[in-house]
Every structure is written in structure tokens, then in C-alpha cells.
Amino acid sequence: MTRGKFITFEGGEGAGKTTQVARLAERLRAGGIETVITREPGGTPLGESIREVVLGASPEPVTELLLFAAARAEHVAKVIRPALKHGTWVLCDRFIDSTRVYQGLLGGVPGDLIGAIEMHSVAPTFPDLTFVLDVPAEEGLKRTEARGALTRFDAEHASYHIKLRDAFRQAAEAEPERCVLMDGGRTADEIAADIWRTLSTRFVAGART
Ligand code: T5A
């Protein structure tokens, strides 16, 4: 059986990740491709419990790292890896790049510690492709405020969101083979079309198998 593809969506608050995950899943399923939608933190009962704890409290960056990593280890082993093995495509709303950015580049946790934990919680199941949705900080904030129910990350100051955007751009540039930086300031339809074009070039046209 051919392994499924593992696609992750990353970006700052209100970048439009959840919207694009749903759009892509709809399109893949319409084309007969079995697709699972999942998210981080979360994705398993334990992961969802960790999500409640970590989004509700304000732990130290290294505590956050360990909590997100615990949720991720369960998620990869119990949901992502089995689905891929079964030939199912997995679309995940946030994954390793969120940790590298929030806990690493912004939280100050050393990259070698993050990398070592990835080797035990994720490897060899790294994403085949990652869309990093890039929106100006004020646009992302406007969208999350309009949606309501802000998390403690959403509620940070504007200067934090500017740094967040820069950090995601930096993370994307560090792995240009895997990460595609997308202009997320366009309409949802335009972004969905661009994502589909990119995906088709990578996987369907055989540029990457
Ligand atoms: N975190 C997570 C870490 O610190 N480390 C980690 O390792 C991980 C995995 C998760 C928090 O946890 C942190 C990062 C996060 O702060 P969350 O609730 O999952 O919290 O937060 P987000 O992932 O940021 O979810 P959001 O819902 O805030 O943002 P999305 O998913 O990017 O945006 P979406 O699609 O829900 O859209 C937001 C609003 O904008 C509209 C939508 O309709 C919606 O109302 N919208 C658009 N409007 C105009 N144009 C477009 N193109 C639009 N696309 C969507």
C-alpha cells in the first residue's frame, strides 16, 4: 500500500490554517483520497486534555515544550503514523514548526533541545509538505478578534505578533524543500487555489513521490 501524504499548516494566530485544512480535505475527498483532519495541540484524547491545560495556564517555555511534545508523541504514534501507513492523507493544523517558533525562537528554548525531542517524538514521521500562511500581524489579530474566544497566545501584544510572523518566515526559510510560504492575506478562495496548485505540482505531477 502506498503511504499517505502528511501535510501540515502553520502560521500565526488567525492566519487561516483551520479554514485551509477544511478546504483541502474537501477537495482531496472529492477526488477519492481518504483524508484525516487533525490538530495540535490535540489529536488524541490525551492530547486534547493537554491542550486544555497548556492553553489555560501560563507555563514556562520549557514546560510548554514538554507538554506539547508529550501530546505530539501520542499523536504521531496513535493517529498520524497509522493513518499514513494505511494510505490515508493526514492534514494537521500546526505541528513541529509551531514548537520551533513559539517555544524556540520566541520562548528561548534552545534549538538543539527541541531537535533532540523531535527525534524521539516525531522521527521519522516528518511532514512531506508544510504550508506556512503568512499574514500581517494586524490582519491576523483582526480575524481572531472578530471570531472571539481568544486564547492567551491570541491576546498577546501586537509587537509579539509581529515577532511571531518574522519567526514563522525564518522557520520556513530554514527548510525550503518542505515549507512553502503562502501569502495568507488573500481571499480564502485564492489561497485554496494556490495550495491546490502547489500540491498538484509536488505530488500529482510526480515532482516528488
Ligand atoms: N502552540 C501550538 C505552541 O505554542 N506550540 C506548539 O507546539 C503548538 C502545536 C493553539 C496555540 O498553541 C500554540 C500556538 C497557538 O497559539 P489554537 O486555538 O489552535 O491555539 O490557535 P490557532 O491555531 O492560531 O487557531 P486560529 O483559529 O486562531 O487561527 P487559524 O486556524 O489560523 O485561522 P482560522 O482558519 O480559524 O481563521 C480565523 C478567522 O479568520 C477567518 C475565518 O473565517 C475565521 O473567522 N478567515 C479569513 N478571513 C479573511 N480572509 C481569509 N483568507 C481568511 N481565512 C480565514
Side-chain angles (χ1 to χ4, degrees):
M1 166 140 343
T2 312
R3 179 186 173 277
K5 299 292 181 201
F6 181 23
I7 321 284
T8 58
F9 291 74
E10 300 275 7
E13 318 300 321
K17 300 174 293 297
T18 311
T19 303
Q20 293 304 326
V21 165
R23 293 288 192 99
L24 180 57
E26 201 183 328
R27 194 144 185 194
L28 288 168
R29 286 170 183 153
I33 295 176
E34 200 178 318
T35 305
V36 161
I37 290 181
T38 189
R39 69 170 180 180
E40 291 209 348
T44 64
L46 179 61
E48 291 295 330
S49 304
I50 292 175
R51 179 186 178 91
E52 266 185 44
V53 171
V54 81
L55 296 188
S58 289
E60 290 298 306
V62 75
T63 314
E64 279 182 346
L65 169 74
L66 296 171
L67 288 169
F68 284 125
R72 184 164 301 138
E74 286 293 300
H75 193 201
V76 169
K78 304 224 165 100
V79 175
I80 298 173
R81 206 172 280 147
L84 294 172
K85 196 172 165 207
H86 182 256
T88 302
W89 285 42
V90 177
L91 309 186
C92 189
D93 193 339
R94 295 194 182 279
F95 196 61
I96 48 172
D97 298 288
S98 285
T99 305
R100 292 178 185 181
V101 164
Y102 286 86
Q103 284 67 54
L105 295 171
L106 297 184
V109 176
D112 56 355
L113 175 58
I114 294 176
I117 290 177
E118 279 179 9
M119 291 322 287
H120 292 277
S121 53
V122 176
T125 314
F126 288 100
D128 296 296
L129 183 60
T130 297
F131 291 105
V132 180
L133 299 180
D134 180 49
V135 293
E138 60 277 15
E139 171 65 18
L141 275 172
K142 208 168 71 191
R143 290 184 194 170
T144 51
E145 277 166 11
R147 190 204 51 196
L150 298 185
T151 69
R152 71 181 162 86
F153 291 90
D154 296 324
E156 288 276 1
H157 295 296
S159 61
Y160 174 85
H161 290 277
I162 291 168
K163 283 193 209 143
L164 182 60
R165 183 190 186 193
D166 288 345
F168 267 112
R169 294 172 75 106
Q170 201 179 318
E173 280 161 14
E175 276 194 63
E177 250 300 288
R178 172 177 65 84
C179 297
V180 177
L181 192 67
M182 284 258 147
D183 173 6
R186 298 168 291 170
T187 66
D189 283 348
E190 287 169 325
I191 301 163
D194 204 0
I195 286 175
W196 186 254
R197 256 194 310 274
T198 305
L199 203 80
S200 306
T201 309
R202 291 268 179 140
F203 302 130
V204 182
R208 225 175 116 154
T209 53

